[in-house]
Amino acid sequence: MSARPTPDRRAAADDAAAAMPSTVDTIVEPPAGKERAAAAIIVDDNPETRVHHPSDLIGTVIGAVGIVAVMVLATYAQHTTTGVAEDVQGFANLLRKILVVPVQVLEGVVTLLVPIAVLSELAIRRLGRQVLDALGAAVLAVVLNGLVLWLVHHVGSEELISGLSVRLNDQWTVTLPGYVAMLAGLLTVSGPRSRRRTVTWSWNLIWVAIGVLLITAQVSLPGLAISLIVGRVAGLLVRFLSGVRSEQAYGEVLVAGVRRAGFSPRRLRRIPEGDGPDVEKSVDPDAETAPVPVVGRVTEPDPDAAARALIRSAGYRAYELTTTDDESLDLVVIDGDRQVVGMLGRLWRSLRLRGLEGRSVVNLRQATERAALLTYAVRAAGVRTPQLLAIAEADDSMLLVQRRPEHAVPLAELDPAELTDELLAEVWAQLSLAHTAGIAHRALTSDTVLVATIAGTPVVWLTGWEQGYVASSDLARRMDASQMLALLALRVGATRALDSAAGILSDDDLSAIGPLLQTISLPRQTRDEMRTHKQVLAELRTALVDRLPEADVEPLQLVRFGARTILTIVVPILAVLFIVTQINIDEITQALAESDWRWSVLAFGLGLLTLLGAALAVVAFSPVKIPVWRAVLVQTAATFVALAAPAGLGPAALNLRMLTRRGVSATLAGATVALVQVSQFVVTLGLLLVLTVASGNQESALPISPAVLLIIAAVAAVVAATLLIPAVRQWVLAKTMPTLRQTWPRLIAVLGQPWRLALAIGSNLLTTLGYVLAFDACLAAFGQDATLIQVAIVYLAGNTAGSMVPTPGGMGAIEAALAASLTAVTGINFGIATSIAILFRVVTYWLRIPIGWVAMRVLQRSGEL
């Protein structure tokens, strides 16, 4: 099919494009010798003379990370590098005698010859700005290299200095050859090796010189690597900031590429980005469902609407190609510089999300061939998508010639009244054809769904298959369905969108969509629309459950890792590194040898006693009768769950599960669990206050200086002042009132039964005192002594601070916080404090995990969980 706009419409579009100040009309003469001496080809375009490649910025960041990595290796692998240097030293002395040309002469030749040759070629080609950029990069490289050398001398450790040094003139010298950095920066800006002959052999000459420097032991390997990377970083940074000459296809090159694709162009008109002409933004006031976002009402046909949607969704350039046969086609241009960022984005999303297969697409040609493969496969499956006619290459661009969808506009620009049930059914039918053939789209948005009305019948195209998969997984196709359902719900409401899906999909397919109705599974464009209509996904889940009561809408875990997972890995590693670098091994070994194992056994027993206290608290607040032994088993199983859940979440999740399994409604069970946690917090604060008052003058004063008290008072004053601000006060109320509303009715019920209240207070006291006394027993095991109030403060402060870090069971964070608090409050040596904290965690956390696993197995077999 081929869409041909009317002469009046085409003339109006031409006039609008010609009125743009940034548009350039290029007259390209037809090639000589053509029998058909047609008029000159008109290229209506907006060429970019200089571009800022995102890949240069990415390379700069990677280079900076590489410099740090080399320094770390030079620091911690210095024995290896020093040994290699000493082994080479004897051979290097012999080699210096054999070499006819001294090394210094070779350095001078390379330093002088390379810049002259490269800059001369640039000058001959009349690339004056590139000459200035190359000189600027060389100067910046020398400056950065000198800065790194200064930092190594004045800030670097002895190990780093030793790792970057070689023995010259009977003394160790740090070597960061500045001329290597200078040449690397200059050549990086001068152009690619494939385009500049002098750049090609200049790099070869530099590698030869580097090899001679290494085997003659004139420089250290880490120092040489750092200087080389510094030069590359300087060159890439200058190249990104200044921009480089565009190597994308424009003008004559673009026309030549179209001819290689087998077409004779008469005119190429660049389709600008943005909205089409005469777009009136409106909403449908008569819509029955709430979530109908702003849509566009097109008052007259826009032949460029489909191409504009392509530009928005894929970021490619698009042209209207008018051939000498007066046929109007779409010319899509994929530029190479966009592939780097696109590849990194796809790789990150594939790594982070489940169900998204990784790709091996790494360059422009592979990306284009993949797009062509998907287009051919989709059309073979019967899906309506623009026909791909030809592919050609032109400079750093790939050209795709395809037919224009007749009178098609993206779904986002349709009036709500045009979104009929017949149209929605056709949308699902097209997607179903692709899924039947095993093809997944993976990026369905309102710009990839094109709609036209032909003879009163809606016709739907699905475009933008560049990120799709053939032979895709079931999860990828289910994600397609969830994306389509979400974008339709944004326009027609949850009920109509689900009804339209039910007309094509089976009940099992609909049920499978439920767990995927979450923001992370949606493309960025749809996620942006969801920000102003956050209730849409919740309404979809509700509508799905109303239609299929047995459907599971619990969100599926799609994210392999997030910020919490990263913290889970990084925080324990940092804590271990900090502890290992700060402790005194000899002192700890002596303390362990002199420690009393009986106190450790007592601490373990006191730790087990806390499980009984936690179980009695649940029994006290539970609206149904729970056997004490069963509650103890659940709290014990929570010690095993703590391996995979942040501190405090494991017991709460299992208590909630236990209550719901016993017939308690989810709302009442949540209120009960929340009340258990709130009561524990209140009782702990009360206990701390009682200990403080009861200690009086009999306990030693806490080592808190007046300055610390002033800081605490200042912080309290700031908090109080911020609560006077209405916005802050509303935010605090929004965070606290839901919990209060949830727990208040249950608290009133407990207050009506004094025995429950007494049991709850006693059980919480038992839990808190059990941990405090267990920590005190760990101090006694190492022969250390502290007052009970000090021990309580250390435990409560350290455990609270460590639990705020979302690592499983507070691993790493609680140990570090307890050790730091113990040293600050009691003055105990940090190494001994660390040993005490580790012993406490071993007897109250690690040793209970096997017992928790047994309890979990017992509960699973009995059906309790």
Side-chain angles (χ1 to χ4, degrees):
M1 289 178 292
S2 149
R4 297 184 181 180
T6 63
D8 293 340
R9 177 63 186 152
R10 182 185 294 135
D14 293 347
D15 293 341
M20 297 179 61
S22 59
T23 300
V24 177
D25 287 342
T26 303
I27 308 299
V28 180
E29 296 294 339
K34 289 286 184 181
E35 296 180 359
R36 187 168 181 166
I41 301 169
I42 300 176
V43 181
D44 186 4
D45 202 355
N46 178 25
E48 297 183 60
T49 56
R50 298 189 70 83
V51 294
H52 302 270
H53 291 307
S55 58
D56 291 337
L57 182 59
I58 295 173
T60 301
V61 175
I62 294 176
V65 174
I67 293 173
V68 175
V70 173
M71 287 186 175
V72 171
L73 291 175
T75 301
Y76 292 99
Q78 60 171 318
H79 297 296
T80 301
T81 57
T82 303
V84 173
E86 291 176 351
D87 293 339
V88 173
Q89 192 68 38
F91 174 71
N93 293 331
L94 176 62
L95 190 61
R96 292 192 194 103
K97 298 177 181 179
I98 297 176
L99 286 176
V100 177
V101 180
V103 176
Q104 289 77 10
V105 175
L106 179 61
E107 294 176 7
V109 170
V110 173
T111 306
L112 182 63
L113 184 60
V114 168
I116 291 177
V118 173
L119 296 177
S120 297
E121 181 182 2
L122 295 178
I124 293 173
R125 293 176 179 268
R126 297 181 180 179
L127 302 175
R129 179 165 178 174
Q130 196 164 0
V131 171
L132 296 178
D133 289 343
L135 291 174
V139 173
L140 179 61
V142 173
V143 172
L144 290 179
N145 193 77
L147 178 61
V148 172
L149 183 60
W150 183 88
L151 290 174
V152 168
H153 277 297
H154 292 81
V155 181
S157 63
E158 294 182 1
E159 292 81 3
L160 176 60
I161 295 175
S162 176
L164 299 178
S165 300
V166 293
R167 193 169 185 82
L168 298 175
N169 299 325
D170 296 329
Q171 63 179 2
W172 289 96
T173 305
V174 177
T175 56
L176 295 179
Y179 69 92
V180 172
M182 179 196 71
L183 296 176
L186 184 141
L187 294 179
T188 299
V189 178
S190 297
R193 302 180 63 166
S194 58
R195 301 286 180 87
R196 306 277 188 269
R197 297 180 63 88
T198 55
V199 173
T200 301
W201 62 257
S202 292
W203 274 116
N204 295 336
L205 187 59
I206 288 177
W207 289 120
V208 171
I210 286 175
V212 173
L213 289 175
L214 285 176
I215 63 177
T216 56
Q218 297 292 306
V219 295
S220 64
L221 179 59
L224 188 59
I226 290 175
S227 293
L228 191 62
I229 299 175
V230 165
R232 287 287 295 174
V233 167
L236 291 172
L237 183 60
V238 169
R239 206 162 69 178
F240 176 76
L241 295 177
S242 176
V244 297
R245 293 179 70 252
S246 175
E247 297 179 356
Q248 302 168 356
Y250 290 99
E252 296 181 1
V253 177
L254 187 61
V255 171
V258 173
R259 287 199 178 101
R260 283 196 297 274
F263 294 88
S264 298
R266 182 169 59 83
R267 176 165 189 165
L268 287 171
R269 180 177 63 85
R270 175 79 172 268
I271 298 174
E273 301 179 12
D275 295 329
D278 302 326
V279 175
E280 175 190 353
K281 296 298 181 181
S282 63
V283 290
D284 184 4
D286 300 326
E288 296 180 0
T289 51
V292 179
V294 175
V295 296
R297 186 188 302 274
V298 182
T299 59
E300 59 179 277
D302 180 11
D304 296 336
R308 294 180 198 277
L310 173 67
I311 295 172
R312 288 194 299 267
S313 62
Y316 300 149
R317 284 188 282 149
Y319 296 81
E320 180 189 11
L321 167 61
T322 305
T323 67
T324 54
D325 297 329
D326 202 31
E327 185 177 15
S328 183
L329 304 171
D330 275 336
L331 173 64
V332 179
V333 182
I334 307 177
D335 297 316
D337 63 299
R338 300 192 59 86
Q339 293 306 307
V340 177
V341 178
M343 180 191 67
L344 292 177
R346 291 190 297 269
L347 178 61
W348 169 253
R349 198 165 164 81
S350 297
L351 290 175
R352 187 166 180 255
L353 299 183
R354 301 178 187 275
L356 300 182
E357 301 89 341
R359 292 193 179 192
S360 59
V361 174
V362 294
N363 58 39
L364 176 62
R365 177 173 291 276
Q366 289 177 325
T368 307
E369 290 174 349
R370 187 181 189 91
L373 167 66
L374 264 297
T375 301
Y376 292 143
V378 167
R379 286 187 62 84
V383 181
R384 193 177 292 108
T385 196
Q387 181 182 1
L388 179 62
L389 301 176
I391 302 175
E393 184 177 13
D395 282 357
D396 193 31
S397 301
M398 294 293 291
L399 315 182
L400 289 81
V401 181
Q402 60 188 33
R403 296 196 182 277
R404 309 194 100 192
E406 290 185 356
H407 312 296
V409 296
L411 190 68
E413 297 182 9
L414 283 182
D415 188 277
E418 299 179 74
L419 297 173
T420 63
D421 292 341
E422 185 181 4
L423 171 59
L424 299 181
E426 179 64 15
V427 170
W428 285 107
Q430 291 296 312
L431 183 62
S432 179
L433 286 174
H435 286 180
T436 302
I439 304 171
H441 190 287
R442 295 183 59 244
L444 288 167
T445 67
S446 56
D447 280 330
T448 61
V449 181
L450 305 181
V451 180
T453 301
I454 300 177
T457 302
V459 177
V460 174
W461 283 267
L462 295 184
T463 64
W465 293 91
E466 294 82 7
Q467 298 184 39
Y469 283 120
V470 295
S472 60
S473 65
D474 177 67
L475 179 57
R477 296 191 292 274
R478 289 166 56 196
M479 291 180 70
D480 272 1
S482 66
Q483 291 175 8
M484 184 67 78
L485 186 62
L487 71 89
L488 291 180
L490 281 168
R491 280 150 184 86
V492 302
T495 303
R496 278 194 65 197
L498 192 62
D499 290 343
S500 67
I504 301 295
L505 305 180
S506 65
D507 289 347
D508 291 340
D509 293 334
L510 282 179
S511 299
I513 296 176
L516 300 177
L517 291 174
Q518 45 187 307
T519 307
I520 191 65
S521 67
L522 304 177
R524 179 175 297 277
Q525 180 180 346
T526 309
R527 293 202 304 268
D528 292 340
E529 296 176 7
M530 283 287 181
R531 289 193 180 98
T532 55
H533 304 278
K534 298 180 180 179
Q535 76 279 11
V536 171
L537 290 180
E539 292 179 358
L540 277 174
R541 296 189 194 99
T542 303
L544 183 59
V545 173
D546 291 342
R547 174 178 288 273
L548 301 172
E550 72 281 1
D552 181 14
V553 295
E554 187 69 22
L556 182 67
Q557 182 65 29
L558 294 176
V559 180
R560 287 193 178 100
F561 60 88
R564 176 170 294 178
T565 306
I566 295 174
L567 285 175
T568 299
I569 298 172
V570 173
V571 171
I573 293 176
L574 293 179
V576 170
L577 291 176
F578 176 77
I579 291 172
V580 169
T581 55
Q582 296 294 322
I583 61 178
N584 188 320
I585 301 298
D586 295 335
E587 189 174 3
I588 293 177
T589 303
Q590 182 180 358
L592 284 173
E594 298 174 356
S595 63
D596 191 342
W597 62 270
R598 291 172 295 183
W599 285 109
S600 300
V601 174
L602 177 61
F604 178 70
L606 291 170
L608 292 179
L609 192 62
T610 62
L611 300 177
L612 176 61
L616 292 176
V618 176
V619 171
F621 289 113
S622 174
V624 296
K625 185 176 181 180
I626 298 178
V628 175
W629 173 245
R630 187 67 65 183
V632 170
L633 274 180
V634 172
Q635 308 313 308
T636 306
T639 61
F640 174 72
V641 176
L643 273 176
L649 292 185
L654 289 187
N655 288 334
L656 187 65
R657 180 68 174 171
M658 177 179 64
L659 292 173
T660 54
R661 291 286 291 178
R662 290 179 173 271
V664 181
S665 65
T667 303
L668 185 57
T672 302
V673 172
L675 188 58
V676 170
Q677 295 180 316
V678 171
S679 67
Q680 179 66 46
F681 177 74
V682 172
V683 170
T684 299
L685 287 182
L687 177 62
L688 185 59
L689 179 61
V690 170
L691 288 175
T692 303
V693 174
S695 63
N697 294 328
Q698 299 175 2
E699 302 285 0
S700 59
L702 293 176
I704 301 179
S705 64
V708 175
L709 293 177
L710 288 176
I711 294 174
I712 295 175
V715 172
V718 170
V719 172
T722 55
L723 291 177
L724 298 177
I725 303 174
V728 176
R729 190 166 59 250
Q730 292 172 4
W731 180 82
V732 173
L733 290 176
K735 294 296 183 183
T736 57
M737 289 305 295
T739 302
L740 182 60
R741 293 193 188 98
Q742 187 181 32
T743 58
W744 183 253
R746 187 61 196 147
L747 178 60
I748 294 298
V750 172
L751 291 176
Q753 298 174 292
W755 72 270
R756 285 184 178 271
L757 183 61
L759 180 60
I761 295 175
S763 60
N764 286 327
L765 285 174
L766 179 62
T767 301
T768 303
L769 284 176
Y771 280 119
V772 171
L773 294 176
F775 193 67
D776 192 35
C778 292
L779 266 77
F782 281 87
Q784 303 296 320
D785 187 24
T787 64
L788 187 59
I789 181 63
Q790 287 178 324
V791 174
I793 289 176
V794 169
Y795 165 73
L796 294 174
N799 189 70
T800 302
S803 299
M804 290 181 180
V805 180
T807 59
M811 277 189 289
I814 292 181
E815 287 85 347
L818 286 174
S821 301
L822 187 58
T823 300
V825 173
T826 64
I828 296 176
N829 176 272
F830 182 76
I832 301 298
T834 301
S835 299
I836 294 172
I838 292 176
L839 176 61
F840 172 73
R841 289 285 286 168
V842 167
V843 298
T844 60
Y845 177 74
W846 292 105
L847 289 182
R848 299 196 305 190
I849 290 175
I851 303 175
W853 178 80
V854 174
M856 177 68 77
R857 298 287 293 177
V858 171
L859 291 172
Q860 287 175 338
R861 286 174 182 162
S862 64
E864 189 68 43
L865 298 180

